[in-house]
């Protein structure tokens, strides 16, 4: 278990703004930071951070929380793994034990497996008896110094890696989960990589997380890469990013190539701001990663048909306002390594400086592929062009793209616009079929990788055996686990009235301001007493914050909120009024208190009127008290409505990021 003390040390050492800016750019607005959400595609910022309380919220997808919930979602980690991830990032050593016996997380243990495998492969290359891999690298101008610099290696296979890792205390399950070993019949494990030169793949912190293996002679597959694991995702990771990041920042430019040796050749030619994709085309995740550091991305393609296809697939990112997306296709079908060998790094740098805008290149190539002087050629060119702009079909620029296509293929723009729906529907069906086949393959692979759970019972299709922690038997005697906690009762969903839903939004707005300005709220404590809270957690948070001593910092107020409600970060991060209102904080506070009191009075008045309408079962004294309560409530309601009419709605002062306004959610207070 991770202690509360260690968890809070990690929280205190993590700046949420800096953490999020590793993924998306943020802009200050008042006392908050805003940007596009890293978890769903959007062009108008709806994601914000409140630095004073170190919480975040996205008004587009509704997600929110603190630094741990952010890392859990971004990295697909469990809560304990998110703590360890941020501890590694901050250089904090945490003590994680169970019954006094130290344990490691799945992620950290798998990194250890990959690191040990990398060292083994490197030793086999540099000191092994087989000189074929050394000859192979030398033939590609990669001598001993280069092999050491990039920790290149050789996988002899024949169970040698499994035997080595076993001697270091790693379990067969850990080797399989790191994908350096595979299961054979009857549960035995064997080396995944055999008779291949090895390229270790590192994460942003320089830790080995995966491998690419290339066969030295004839045979298939030519490249064998690590499959998807808890550490490695080919659509997210980039080869060499750990080495290239500083140079990417310095130049505000990232160059993307398609192979390990191409990236190494560029680095050795003093072109340092280069990364390589890992057996996939440029993805949205790659673009998001690179735009954290670069304003210009140059996609450097091989001069073959596959390279040109890759350029066309990258067109889906053309409208990302944060980047200038360009491409270079090398002449004579050469790859970057061949070009550098033949022409030198200076010639390649010159091509990169003159890189062509991606859209111009792609449309130019369309005209070269088909003879648009013939009806058949125009038809083929039109279909190719519409398939090309399919990812941009919802763009506000689509008419401009139609015009570009019409100009390229020699048709009227009306012809292009009329043909587009049919082509787009066909592409949509094809994509759905591909996704279905990919899902079927993943389920089949999961069944092969995890044929049975711990008890030997078959697992559901596509579901892997749970493996969040290192197996305890990896450390010797298995300690006794605590008794399982009693199963919590199933919670039925709460049904709210429209009035309660409005009040709920205002309650969270109030909590957002309260945790950010605890001292400003203290004079209003008596008014807060009179609020009928829709969510009891909100009331608990409010009183926990107000119970703190005067002078309490916002971050300490958040700690007090978390002490009474574990979900405090998610609940208090969704308020917008601090970013949208032009009023001073005190005016916003009074507006929210008046609004919540008005909702409270309305609910009480509605209840009293309902009881009076029912009539039966009420004594004369009860009826008299209810009548007085209803009259007083109606008078207070009118007074509050007059108060609110005198204040410009702070929610409507500024258009909200992402469109709309909070007034539409809270309702008309009058």
């Amino acid at each position: 278990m991770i202690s509360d003390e260690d968890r809070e040390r990690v929280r205190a050492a993590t700046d949420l703004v800096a953490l999020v800016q590793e993924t998306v750019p943020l802009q200050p607005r008042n006392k908050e930071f805003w940007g596009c959400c890293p978890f769903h595609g959007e062009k108008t910022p709806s994601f914000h951070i409140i630095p004073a309380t170190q919480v975040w919220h996205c008004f587009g997808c509704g997600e929110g929380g603190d630094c741990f919930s952010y890392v859990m979602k971004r990295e697909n980690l469990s809560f304990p793994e998110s703590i360890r991830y941020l501890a590694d990032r901050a250089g904090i050593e945490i003590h994680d034990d169970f019954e006094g016996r130290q344990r490691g997380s799945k992620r950290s243990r798998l990194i250890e497996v990959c690191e040990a495998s990398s060292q083994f492969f490197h030793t086999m290359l540099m000191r092994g008896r087989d000189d074929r891999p050394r000859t192979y690298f030398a033939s590609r101008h990669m001598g001993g110094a280069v092999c050491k610099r990039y920790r290149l290696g050789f996988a002899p296979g024949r169970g040698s890696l499994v035997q080595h890792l076993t001697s270091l205390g790693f379990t067969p399950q850990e080797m399989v989960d790191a994908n350096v070993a595979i299961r054979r019949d009857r549960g035995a494990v064997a080396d995944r990589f055999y008779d291949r030169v090895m390229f270790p793949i590192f994460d942003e912190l320089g830790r080995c997380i995966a491998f690419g293996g290339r066969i030295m002679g004839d045979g298939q597959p030519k490249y064998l890469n690590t499959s998807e694991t808890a550490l490695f995702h080919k659509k997210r990771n980039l080869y060499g990013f750990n080495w290239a990041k500083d140079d990417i920042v310095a130049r505000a430019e990232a160059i993307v190539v398609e192979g390990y040796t191409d990236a190494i050749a560029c680095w050795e030619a003093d072109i340092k701001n280069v990364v390589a994709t890992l057996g996939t085309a440029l993805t949205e995740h790659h673009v998001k990663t690179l735009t954290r550091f670069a304003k210009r991305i140059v996609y450097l393609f091989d001069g073959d048909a596959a390279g040109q296809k890759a350029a066309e697939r990258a067109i889906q990112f053309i409208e990302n306002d944060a980047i200038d997306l360009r491409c270079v296709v090398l002449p004579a079908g050469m790859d970057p390594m061949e070009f550098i060998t033949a022409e030198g790094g200076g010639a390649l740098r010159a091509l990169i400086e003159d890189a062509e805008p991606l859209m111009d290149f792609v449309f130019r190539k369309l005209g070269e592929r088909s003879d648009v002087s013939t009806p058949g050629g125009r038809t083929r060119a039109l279909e190719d062009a519409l398939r090309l702009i399919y990812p941009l079909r919802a763009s506000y620029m689509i008419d401009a793209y139609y015009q570009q296509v019409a100009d390229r293929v020699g048709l009227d723009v009306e012809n292009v616009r009329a043909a587009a729906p049919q082509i787009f529907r066909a592409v949509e069906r094809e994509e759905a079929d591909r996704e279905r086949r990919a899902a079927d393959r993943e389920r089949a692979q999961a069944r092969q990788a995890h044929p049975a759970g711990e008890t030997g019972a078959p697992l559901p299709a596509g579901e892997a055996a749970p493996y969040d922690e290192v197996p305890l038997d990896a450390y010797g005697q298995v300690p006794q686990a605590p008794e399982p906690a009693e199963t919590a009762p199933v919670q039925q969903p709460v049904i709210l009235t429209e009035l309660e839903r409005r009040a709920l939004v205002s309650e969270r707005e109030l909590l957002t301001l309260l945790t950010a300005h605890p001292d400003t709220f203290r004079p209003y404590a008596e008014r807060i007493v009179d609020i009928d809270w829709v969510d009891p957690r909100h009331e608990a948070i409010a009183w926990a914050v107000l119970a703190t001593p005067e002078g309490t910092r916002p971050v300490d107020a958040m700690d007090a909120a978390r002490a009474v409600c574990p979900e405090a970060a998610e609940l208090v991060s969704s308020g917008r009024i601090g970013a949208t209102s032009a009023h001073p904080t005190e005016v916003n506070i009074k507006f929210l208190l008046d609004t919540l009191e008005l909702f409270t009075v309305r609910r009480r008045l509605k209840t009293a009127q309902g009881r009076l309408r029912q009539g039966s079962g009420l004594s004369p004294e009860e009826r008299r008290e209810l009548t007085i309560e209803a009259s007083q409530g109606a008078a207070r309601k009118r007074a509050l409505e007059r108060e609110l009419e005198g204040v410009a709605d702070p929610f409507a002062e500024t258009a909200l990021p992402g469109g709309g306004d909070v007034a539409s959610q809270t309702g008309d207070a009058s």
Side-chain angles (χ1 to χ4, degrees):
M1 300 288 290
I2 299 174
S3 68
D4 292 344
E5 181 182 355
D6 280 343
R7 181 194 65 215
E8 294 309 315
R9 282 200 302 135
V10 173
R11 190 197 304 278
T14 301
D15 177 12
L16 185 58
V17 174
L19 177 66
V20 173
Q21 282 183 322
E22 293 178 357
T23 306
V24 294
L26 300 174
Q27 296 296 327
R29 185 181 302 170
N30 294 335
K31 294 184 179 180
E32 300 177 0
F33 284 83
W34 288 77
C36 292
C37 180
F39 305 125
H40 77 283
E42 62 178 9
K43 295 184 179 179
T44 303
S46 62
F47 178 97
H48 82 138
I49 294 174
I50 307 172
T53 52
Q54 290 289 295
V55 294
W56 63 275
H57 184 81
C58 175
F59 296 105
C61 62
E63 298 284 350
D66 57 9
C67 60
F68 299 123
S69 60
Y70 176 80
V71 168
M72 288 169 66
K73 187 167 180 64
R74 188 182 79 176
E75 302 293 334
N76 193 26
L77 302 176
S78 66
F79 180 61
E81 288 175 335
S82 74
I83 299 175
R84 298 183 189 104
Y85 178 95
L86 290 175
D88 289 344
R89 180 178 177 273
I92 293 175
E93 182 179 355
I94 61 176
H95 304 285
D96 187 10
D97 61 272
F98 181 85
E99 295 287 335
R101 302 178 68 93
Q102 199 167 41
R103 301 177 67 188
S105 70
K106 172 186 177 181
R107 186 180 184 88
S108 63
R109 285 289 287 183
L110 295 190
I111 288 174
E112 291 175 15
V113 172
C114 291
E115 284 285 345
S117 300
S118 175
Q119 292 294 346
F120 175 79
F121 292 146
H122 185 62
T123 300
M124 291 297 101
L125 170 66
M126 304 303 290
R127 302 180 186 175
R129 296 180 180 178
D130 193 336
D131 63 358
R132 290 179 302 137
R134 292 188 289 272
T135 302
Y136 173 86
F137 281 125
S139 69
R140 282 154 179 76
H141 308 284
M142 291 187 283
V146 172
C147 292
K148 289 179 182 178
R149 195 149 40 241
Y150 305 107
R151 209 195 297 176
L152 307 181
F154 171 63
R158 301 184 182 87
S160 56
L161 177 63
V162 167
Q163 183 179 0
H164 174 71
L165 294 177
T166 301
S167 71
L168 296 179
F170 296 107
T171 66
Q173 185 64 55
E174 289 172 332
M175 301 177 207
V176 171
D177 285 349
N179 204 228
V180 296
I182 56 174
R183 289 199 181 276
R184 297 295 191 192
D185 296 337
R186 301 179 182 176
V189 296
D191 292 3
R192 171 175 170 77
F193 299 100
Y194 169 74
D195 204 31
R196 290 175 179 270
V197 291
M198 302 297 294
F199 298 85
I201 299 165
F202 302 95
D203 66 8
E204 191 173 331
L205 300 178
R207 301 173 301 187
C208 183
I209 57 172
F211 297 93
R214 190 194 191 285
I215 199 164
M216 293 179 288
D218 296 330
Q220 292 295 329
K222 182 178 180 181
Y223 284 98
L224 180 63
N225 297 326
T226 296
S227 301
E228 298 283 304
T229 70
L231 299 176
F232 174 66
H233 307 280
K234 64 183 180 180
K235 292 183 179 180
R236 293 178 179 268
N237 295 111
L238 289 160
Y239 179 68
F241 187 63
N242 55 306
W243 294 308
K245 182 170 64 174
D246 290 344
D247 286 278
I248 290 173
V249 172
R251 290 181 172 270
E253 176 189 69
I255 301 167
V256 181
V257 297
E258 296 185 289
Y260 311 116
T261 56
D262 294 334
I264 292 173
C266 289
W267 296 327
E268 291 301 304
D270 203 34
I271 303 174
K272 304 290 188 181
N273 54 326
V274 176
V275 294
T277 54
L278 297 162
T280 181
L282 197 67
T283 69
E284 180 181 2
H285 294 295
H286 293 152
V287 172
K288 283 185 176 181
T289 297
L290 294 174
T291 51
R292 288 157 47 190
F293 308 100
K295 296 298 183 184
R296 167 174 150 132
I297 297 177
V298 180
Y299 210 164
L300 190 59
F301 301 102
D302 296 356
D304 55 15
Q308 294 179 24
K309 284 290 186 184
E312 292 175 4
R313 287 194 295 270
I315 203 171
Q316 62 186 296
F317 310 116
I318 199 70
E319 291 187 344
N320 187 323
D321 293 335
I323 59 168
D324 174 14
L325 192 57
R326 295 176 174 258
C327 71
V328 172
V329 176
L330 298 176
M334 290 191 289
D335 61 32
M337 187 175 194
E338 293 168 339
F339 185 87
I340 289 172
T341 302
E343 304 292 339
L348 182 59
R349 175 61 74 183
L351 289 179
I352 293 169
E353 293 295 334
D354 294 333
E356 186 176 10
L358 183 65
M359 183 69 87
D360 293 349
F361 164 79
V362 170
F363 276 126
R364 179 169 56 81
K365 286 296 180 182
L366 278 177
E368 294 176 2
R369 284 210 301 264
S370 301
D371 182 4
V372 295
S373 64
T374 65
R378 281 197 297 271
T379 302
R380 285 192 298 273
L382 176 61
E383 181 175 350
D384 288 346
L386 289 174
R387 285 177 171 274
L388 179 71
I389 65 173
Y390 168 78
L392 307 174
R393 62 195 180 282
S395 169
Y396 71 95
M397 292 280 294
I398 190 63
D399 282 334
Y401 298 141
Y402 286 155
Q403 187 63 61
Q404 289 187 56
V405 171
D407 292 341
R408 293 287 180 178
V409 300
L411 292 171
D412 293 333
V413 69
E414 289 76 14
N415 301 130
V416 177
R417 189 179 291 110
Q422 181 180 358
I423 301 300
F424 289 167
R425 284 194 297 270
V427 177
E428 191 172 6
R429 287 193 298 270
E430 292 167 9
E431 284 192 344
D433 289 341
R434 281 196 296 270
E435 290 174 2
R436 185 168 54 252
R437 289 194 296 269
D440 291 342
R441 283 196 300 271
E442 289 178 3
R443 284 192 291 269
Q445 290 169 358
R447 284 194 295 269
Q448 293 173 0
H450 298 278
E454 293 292 328
T455 62
L459 289 169
E463 184 175 333
Y467 180 53
D468 180 58
E469 298 289 341
V470 175
L472 295 179
D473 57 5
Y475 302 97
Q477 184 178 0
V478 180
Q480 291 296 315
E483 292 295 324
E486 184 178 347
T487 304
V490 177
Q491 298 293 323
Q492 295 296 329
V494 178
I495 300 176
L496 300 176
T497 65
E498 180 61 25
L499 192 62
E500 288 170 334
R501 283 195 291 271
R502 295 177 184 176
L504 200 62
V505 175
S506 292
E507 287 177 13
R508 294 189 178 178
E509 292 285 346
L510 185 72
L511 292 180
T512 300
L513 282 181
L514 175 59
T515 50
H517 308 280
D519 285 345
T520 311
F521 268 84
R522 298 190 194 282
Y524 301 98
E526 290 185 3
R527 292 200 63 185
I528 293 176
V529 170
D530 204 40
I531 293 173
D532 287 346
W533 298 83
V534 176
D535 190 332
R537 298 175 301 174
H538 296 173
E539 183 176 14
I541 291 171
W543 286 114
V545 173
L546 289 173
T548 59
E550 191 167 353
T552 297
R553 299 177 305 160
V555 67
D556 296 325
M558 271 304 305
D559 289 339
R562 288 191 191 92
V564 297
C565 178
E567 305 91 357
E570 288 81 355
L571 297 175
V572 308
S573 63
S574 58
R576 312 186 192 196
I577 196 169
T580 60
S581 174
H583 296 317
T585 300
E586 288 80 5
V587 174
N588 291 332
I589 291 172
K590 187 177 184 305
F591 177 86
L592 286 173
L593 289 172
D594 287 345
T595 301
L596 283 171
E597 185 181 350
L598 178 60
F599 286 144
T600 297
V601 169
R602 283 177 170 176
R603 289 199 300 274
R604 292 176 181 176
L605 183 59
K606 184 178 180 181
T607 300
Q609 291 171 340
R611 291 187 65 190
L612 285 170
R613 282 193 298 269
Q614 293 173 1
S616 60
L618 292 177
S619 66
E621 184 63 23
E622 289 173 333
R623 181 177 291 276
R624 177 176 174 275
E625 290 178 357
L626 281 172
T627 302
I628 294 173
E629 180 181 338
S631 299
Q632 292 175 340
R636 181 58 180 161
K637 172 177 171 290
R638 289 192 294 271
L640 287 168
E641 287 171 344
R642 286 194 297 271
E643 287 283 332
L644 289 168
E645 285 174 358
V647 179
D649 186 352
F651 291 127
E653 286 293 305
T654 306
L656 284 174
D661 57 68
V662 177
S664 65
Q665 299 183 38
T666 60
D668 182 2
S670 62

